[in-house]
């Protein structure tokens, strides 16, 4: 490991509470809604138990469109059966990186995204106000704008002109619109995180179910598209050679994919 990489890893780990596995045998990156939170109660319990027992061997990363407040509520058990606390969280569709236990942001990973967002945000003022079929999400999102949209009403052609202002516009699950700093997404933030921590790409498995997970699958890392993935994402599966399309849904789909990649995971 060269000196620059050693320094970046040291700086990163100094900015989080708790510790990360030194030499993880697996780096498991999991979307939440429809993926880690999907499947039957028994399927979820089995995978959560498996993860909890492998905290020293499996580096666990949530990669979600949720904001940190929503993730905090989930881990507190506000919505029933809660998954184990991850080591790290990529939230806001890639715009935030946080420590899993404290959910405090990690400056070395977040500051460049924040600077990019602050540069582009003034250009967006008023651009998406009052548009038919579009309503802001009442959430504490960071470094992005987030909306619900009605596909039969909202005119998505406006997004092309919006992207010329220096943002990417991401439609997913036939109901969500995220306006992100250009080039920032789940995949780009994950790759940057792996570089900061000098983690081997060959030990990574990603998982997801909607179009906001596509960027993870396009990294070339091994991935699991769970069986309940939205139709528009499933249609792109032939273009994603390192992504396994599971038959099972949610947690069971993650477990099926891990077995496909040669890992011992419960059914």
């Amino acid at each position: 490991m060269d000196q620059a990489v050693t320094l970046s890893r040291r700086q990163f780990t100094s900015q989080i509470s708790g510790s990360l596995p030194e030499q993880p045998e697996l780096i498991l990156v999991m979307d939440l809604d429809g993926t880690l939170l999907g499947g039957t109660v028994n399927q979820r319990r089995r995978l959560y138990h498996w993860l909890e027992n492998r905290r020293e061997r499996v580096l666990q990363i949530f990669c979600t469109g949720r904001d940190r407040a929503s993730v905090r509520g989930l881990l507190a058990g506000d919505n029933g059966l809660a998954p184990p606390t991850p080591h790290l969280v990529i939230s806001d569709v890639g715009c935030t990186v946080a420590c899993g236990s404290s959910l405090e942001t990690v400056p070395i990973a977040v500051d460049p995204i924040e600077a990019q967002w602050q540069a582009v945000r003034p250009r967006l003022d008023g651009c998406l106000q009052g548009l038919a079929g579009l309503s802001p999400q009442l959430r504490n999102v960071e470094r992005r704008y987030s909306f619900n949209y009605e596909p039969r009403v909202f005119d998505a052609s406006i997004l092309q002109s919006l992207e010329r202002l220096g943002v990417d516009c991401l439609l997913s699950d036939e109901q969500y619109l995220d306006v992100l700093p250009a080039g920032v997404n789940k995949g780009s933030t994950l790759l940057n995180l792996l570089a900061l921590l000098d983690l081997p790409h060959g030990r990574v498995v990603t998982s997801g179910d909607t179009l906001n997970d596509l960027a993870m699958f396009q990294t070339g890392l091994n991935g699991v598209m769970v069986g309940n993935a939205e139709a528009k994402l499933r249609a792109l599966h032939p273009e994603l050679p390192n992504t396994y399309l599971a038959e099972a849904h949610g947690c069971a789909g993650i477990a099926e994919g891990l077995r496909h990649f040669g890992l011992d995971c419960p059914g």
Side-chain angles (χ1 to χ4, degrees):
M1 187 184 302
D2 64 39
Q3 185 176 10
V5 171
T6 301
L7 288 172
S8 72
R9 182 183 177 95
R10 186 177 301 158
Q11 184 177 358
F12 188 103
T13 55
S14 72
Q15 294 177 354
I16 63 173
S17 57
S19 60
L20 305 178
E22 281 295 326
Q23 298 291 332
E25 62 188 39
L26 169 66
I27 300 142
L28 183 56
V29 186
M30 301 164 285
D31 173 57
L32 292 179
D33 297 281
T35 305
L36 187 62
L37 301 181
T40 68
V41 169
N42 285 338
Q43 288 167 343
R44 291 172 64 188
R45 281 180 175 152
R46 282 197 295 271
L47 184 63
Y48 296 174
H49 180 73
W50 185 86
L51 291 170
E52 190 64 56
N53 288 337
R54 284 161 179 78
R55 288 193 60 81
E56 301 304 316
R57 298 157 52 192
V58 177
L59 177 60
Q60 300 165 35
I61 303 173
F62 289 176
C63 196
T64 178
R66 292 187 181 219
D67 57 71
R68 288 187 294 148
S70 178
V71 174
R72 182 174 286 109
L74 170 69
L75 293 174
D78 291 356
N79 296 315
L81 178 62
T85 299
H87 294 96
L88 298 169
V89 174
I90 297 171
S91 61
D92 294 291
V93 202
C95 294
T96 302
V97 178
C99 170
S101 58
S102 69
L103 288 174
E104 294 299 317
T105 57
V106 185
I108 190 175
V110 172
D111 286 353
I113 301 173
E114 176 69 26
Q116 187 178 351
W117 179 241
Q118 291 302 328
V120 73
R121 188 174 64 171
R123 306 173 201 164
L124 304 174
D125 287 347
C127 291
L128 288 167
Q129 291 180 356
L131 295 178
L134 194 68
S135 57
Q137 290 186 16
L138 301 178
R139 295 161 57 182
N140 186 30
V141 297
E142 300 177 284
R143 289 163 287 280
R144 62 165 171 152
Y145 287 146
S146 188
F147 302 86
N148 289 84
Y149 79 97
E150 299 177 43
R152 290 175 294 180
V153 178
F154 176 60
D155 180 8
S157 65
I158 193 174
L159 300 181
Q160 294 180 358
S161 59
L162 195 66
E163 288 183 338
R164 288 194 283 270
L165 299 177
V167 295
D168 288 337
C169 298
L170 176 59
L171 297 170
S172 62
D173 206 26
E174 297 292 339
Q175 59 182 319
Y176 302 124
L177 165 63
D178 288 290
V179 180
L180 314 164
V184 176
N185 51 57
K186 287 185 176 183
S188 64
T189 299
L190 173 59
L191 289 176
N192 185 54
L193 182 58
L194 296 175
L196 287 170
L197 292 171
D198 192 37
L199 293 170
H201 288 197
R203 296 183 190 174
V204 179
V205 177
T206 67
S207 56
D209 70 300
T210 72
L211 281 173
N212 74 20
D213 300 308
L214 176 61
M216 286 198 295
F217 298 140
Q218 290 176 326
T219 60
L221 301 165
N222 286 337
V224 181
M225 188 183 297
V226 295
N228 52 301
E230 67 168 299
K232 288 183 178 180
L233 181 63
R234 291 174 66 95
L236 297 171
H237 178 255
E239 303 172 19
L240 305 167
N242 294 333
T243 299
Y244 172 74
L245 178 58
E247 294 185 7
H249 292 196
C251 271
I254 296 175
E256 178 187 333
L258 291 176
R259 293 193 299 274
H260 168 79
F261 289 116
L263 296 155
D264 180 19
C265 189

